[in-house]
């Protein structure tokens, strides 16, 4: 699903400590992937397009969000392996051609 949105309703108390209020925050995601998605698909669609920024002195941050036990660590480890391989290949190509 492309550009999904989610609204988070956060219950809070006002400064008086008694009055309850609800704050709504809306978040737009770049993409979402299901359990059938592979690490390679996720890397291809979400990470690979921003890898050039690293070679242009940029900073890249990848954030995984999901329920506890949903596989975020497993997925991020897989993406990290693919990214390191891609970075080395790009680095070798860069140094050979410059």
């Amino acid at each position: 699903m492309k550009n999904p949105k989610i609204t988070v309703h956060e219950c809070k108390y006002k400064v008086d400590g008694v009055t309850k209020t609800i704050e709504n925050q809306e978040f737009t995601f770049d993409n979402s992937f299901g359990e059938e998605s592979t690490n390679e698909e996720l890397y291809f669609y979400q990470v690979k397009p921003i890898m050039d920024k690293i070679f242009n002195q940029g900073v890249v941050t990848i954030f995984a969000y999901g329920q506890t036990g949903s596989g975020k660590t497993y997925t991020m480890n897989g993406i990290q392996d693919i990214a390191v391989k891609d970075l080395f290949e790009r680095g070798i190509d860069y140094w050979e051609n410059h």
Side-chain angles (χ1 to χ4, degrees):
M1 180 171 29
K2 193 70 172 163
N3 296 326
K5 291 184 180 183
I6 186 171
T7 302
V8 176
H9 308 290
E10 185 178 2
C11 299
K12 290 192 167 191
Y13 288 97
K14 290 193 175 189
V15 179
D16 64 13
V18 178
T19 308
K20 293 181 182 179
T21 184
I22 295 178
E23 289 187 11
N24 299 315
Q25 305 252 353
E26 188 172 276
F27 298 93
T28 302
F29 296 88
D30 292 352
N31 215 325
S32 63
F33 296 86
E35 62 187 54
E36 72 286 346
S37 299
T38 65
N39 290 343
E40 289 77 13
E41 287 176 302
L42 196 133
Y43 181 82
F44 180 79
Y45 289 110
Q46 294 302 124
V47 181
K48 190 170 184 158
I50 59 176
M51 291 297 277
D52 288 336
K53 291 182 181 194
I54 293 172
F55 285 99
N56 292 313
Q57 298 180 348
V59 177
V60 173
T61 301
I62 301 166
F63 179 77
Y65 176 83
Q67 182 176 356
T68 300
S70 63
K72 296 178 299 296
T73 300
Y74 173 82
T75 300
M76 293 303 287
N77 285 339
I79 291 172
Q80 180 179 342
D81 292 344
I82 298 167
V84 168
K85 182 180 175 189
D86 191 17
L87 282 172
F88 274 105
E89 289 173 359
R90 288 179 187 220
I92 290 168
D93 183 56
Y94 177 82
W95 290 112
E96 288 177 348
N97 296 308
H98 286 86

